[in-house]
Amino acid sequence: MSKVKVGINGYGTIGKRVADAVKAQNDMEVVGVTKTRPTFEAQTAIDKGFSLYVPEDSLKAFRDAKMPVKGTIKDLYKAAEIMVDCTPGDVGEKYKAEYEAAGIKAIFQGGEDHSLTGISFNSTANYSESWGAQFSRVVSCNTTGLLRTLNPIDKKIKIKNAYVTLVRRGVDPGDSKGGPINGLEPTVKLPTHHGPDVKSIMPWLNINTMAIKASTTLMHLHTVVVELEKETGTDEILNIMRTSPRVKLIKSSSGIKGTAEIMELGREMGRNRSDMYEIVVWEDGVKVVGKMLYYYQAVHQESDVVPENIDCIRSMCKMEEDASVSISKTNKSLGIRQ
Ligand code: NAD
């Protein structure tokens, strides 16, 4: 079977993880990654065996740094069938016309608007909507986290209203700029964009979101309050979560009090970069009172969208029609149990 040829534009937090995940599959391959400057990340990409493609006006800088370059970003379009655009938010949209002109497919990330592609992607909620599409968008880390738990609950027990408060990490661990380094910053423009973003995939869902930026780099933490259409029990909700893909139930009694221990768990599990692809829910923090459901979930912003990008490639390139087959294939390759 010939492998689908994937190019990665933007080898940063998300791009380098997607590149490793593509490399771990047996039905697709990385034909090249792009870097704009000859940084240590460009060097590690070369060391891992990825071919480097750079903007035309960066060729000299890479030559001066003695870093071997295979060609320009436009040359990569000739080698790739699909580009996974992992450039910073709002930069991806500038590349869309180039992908279009080259006649190749492209996946954008959550930093771009839904209107750029008209299709947004989540593996469990709407895998088939990106089937054969030229462009799709894997929604943001927080939106992916909300869809992973809310969609299966809505499928089994209809949701009347969902109210979510997101405590967001200030910056990613590798970022020395930004903040806050002290204090908490509420997003005062309400509702925050997260609720509407969930609706780009579940348009029928009544969801309202608020967000607070916190001085932490490790993970986001959501408090979720759901009004269900009918009364249910905590066990029924736990059973749904237990069987939902990429949702991991943990107990505070096992010593996992917060996001620090979750990241430590990722290290102990031997995960690549200690990544936690699953949305982590505290089992002993799930509570149902009548029609009201309450729970906490933690989102590893650097990695939860990585398996979704792999499934999105399979859907767009018509490689696997059955979402559950693609999900389990991706999971197995990344060491995700369910
Ligand atoms: P990043 O800044 O870590 O990486 C972006 C990469 O793109 C860098 O290597 C940068 O050098 C490169 N780049 C910048 N301008 C470029 C250009 N014009 N052409 C080619 N490459 C260019 O960003 P990130 O955190 O990986 O985010 C990428 C996308 O993923 C964004 O849409 C973001 O919203 C989304 N996302 C980020 C996170 C997160 O928490 N980091 C989570 C989910 C989704």
Side-chain angles (χ1 to χ4, degrees), residues 216-230:
T216 179
T217 64
L218 300 177
M219 299 182 88
H220 303 298
L221 188 100
H222 300 168
T223 70
V224 187
V225 179
V226 178
E227 187 185 355
L228 300 161
E229 286 285 2
K230 61 179 174 94

Side-chain angles (χ1 to χ4, degrees), residues 9-15 34-37 41 55 73 85-91 95 109-112 139-141 169 172 220 301-302 304-305:
N9 195 11
Y11 191 76
T13 306
I14 302 298
T34 77
K35 266 322 265 181
T36 51
R37 287 177 301 121
E41 279 172 320
I73 295 181
D85 190 298
C86 301
T87 60
D90 297 330
V91 174
Y95 277 102
Q109 306 302 313
E112 309 301 325
V139 290
S140 76
C141 48
R169 60 94 180 94
D172 286 334
H220 303 298
Q301 76 281 354
E302 296 178 287
D304 70 324
V305 299

Side-chain angles (χ1 to χ4, degrees), residues 2 15 66 75 98 101 129 147 150 155 162 178 205-206 223 238 241 248-249 252 277 307 319-320:
S2 72
K66 300 198 177 0
D75 291 329
E98 291 190 11
E129 277 179 40
L147 288 162
L150 291 176
K155 270 187 189 152
L205 190 72
N206 291 321
T223 70
L238 287 174
M241 289 182 169
K248 188 177 184 64
L249 287 174
S252 66
Y277 306 107
M319 295 160 71
E320 175 52 65

Side-chain angles (χ1 to χ4, degrees), residues 57-312:
D57 55 10
S58 301
L59 281 167
K60 185 180 176 313
F62 280 84
R63 235 185 346 254
D64 291 349
K66 300 198 177 0
M67 279 194 198
V69 161
K70 189 100 184 260
T72 65
I73 295 181
K74 287 194 174 147
D75 291 329
L76 178 55
Y77 304 155
K78 294 176 202 146
E81 292 164 65
I82 182 164
M83 293 295 296
V84 184
D85 190 298
C86 301
T87 60
D90 297 330
V91 174
E93 68 171 85
K94 300 190 181 91
Y95 277 102
K96 189 182 171 195
E98 291 190 11
Y99 304 143
E100 211 151 24
I104 53 176
K105 295 176 186 279
I107 296 175
F108 297 90
Q109 306 302 313
E112 309 301 325
D113 293 336
H114 172 75
S115 57
L116 183 69
T117 53
I119 311 173
S120 290
F121 181 87
N122 173 264
S123 302
T124 28
N126 73 340
Y127 180 92
S128 60
E129 277 179 40
S130 292
W131 187 252
Q134 185 178 5
F135 299 118
S136 188
R137 177 186 76 121
V138 169
V139 290
S140 76
C141 48
N142 279 310
T143 307
T144 297
L146 290 169
L147 288 162
R148 289 246 184 99
T149 51
L150 291 176
N151 187 257
I153 293 168
D154 188 57
K155 270 187 189 152
K156 290 261 165 69
I157 310 163
K158 266 195 84 47
I159 292 174
K160 196 167 178 194
N161 286 297
Y163 309 95
V164 182
T165 301
L166 303 95
V167 181
R168 296 169 53 213
R169 60 94 180 94
V171 290
D172 286 334
D175 195 346
S176 58
K177 298 189 286 280
I181 58 164
N182 184 26
L184 302 164
E185 283 178 10
T187 304
V188 289
K189 192 172 176 295
L190 295 175
T192 63
H193 70 275
H194 308 94
D197 207 29
V198 170
K199 283 158 97 60
S200 72
I201 289 187
M202 296 175 68
W204 60 90
L205 190 72
N206 291 321
I207 177 167
N208 282 292
T209 48
M210 299 175 83
I212 301 159
K213 232 177 171 193
S215 45
T216 179
T217 64
L218 300 177
M219 299 182 88
H220 303 298
L221 188 100
H222 300 168
T223 70
V224 187
V225 179
V226 178
E227 187 185 355
L228 300 161
E229 286 285 2
K230 61 179 174 94
E231 289 195 10
T232 185
T234 303
D235 283 348
E236 193 173 347
I237 296 294
L238 287 174
N239 280 338
I240 294 170
M241 289 182 169
R242 223 167 257 130
T243 51
S244 299
R246 300 172 189 156
V247 174
K248 188 177 184 64
L249 287 174
I250 49 99
K251 288 184 180 149
S252 66
S253 58
S254 71
I256 301 179
K257 304 284 183 212
T259 52
E261 290 87 359
I262 295 173
M263 287 288 86
E264 190 60 16
L265 175 63
R267 288 186 199 101
E268 289 303 300
M269 290 166 79
R271 286 279 174 85
N272 197 17
R273 300 186 177 88
S274 81
D275 285 344
M276 187 57 71
Y277 306 107
E278 302 92 329
I279 302 309
V280 179
V281 178
W282 276 269
E283 186 172 331
D284 36 356
V286 177
K287 191 168 176 67
V288 176
V289 183
K291 291 183 182 175
M292 299 303 292
L293 159 67
Y294 307 86
Y295 61 95
Y296 298 100
Q297 62 177 27
V299 174
H300 185 221
Q301 76 281 354
E302 296 178 287
S303 71
D304 70 324
V305 299
V306 172
E308 299 335 82
N309 272 278
I310 301 301
D311 294 330
C312 192

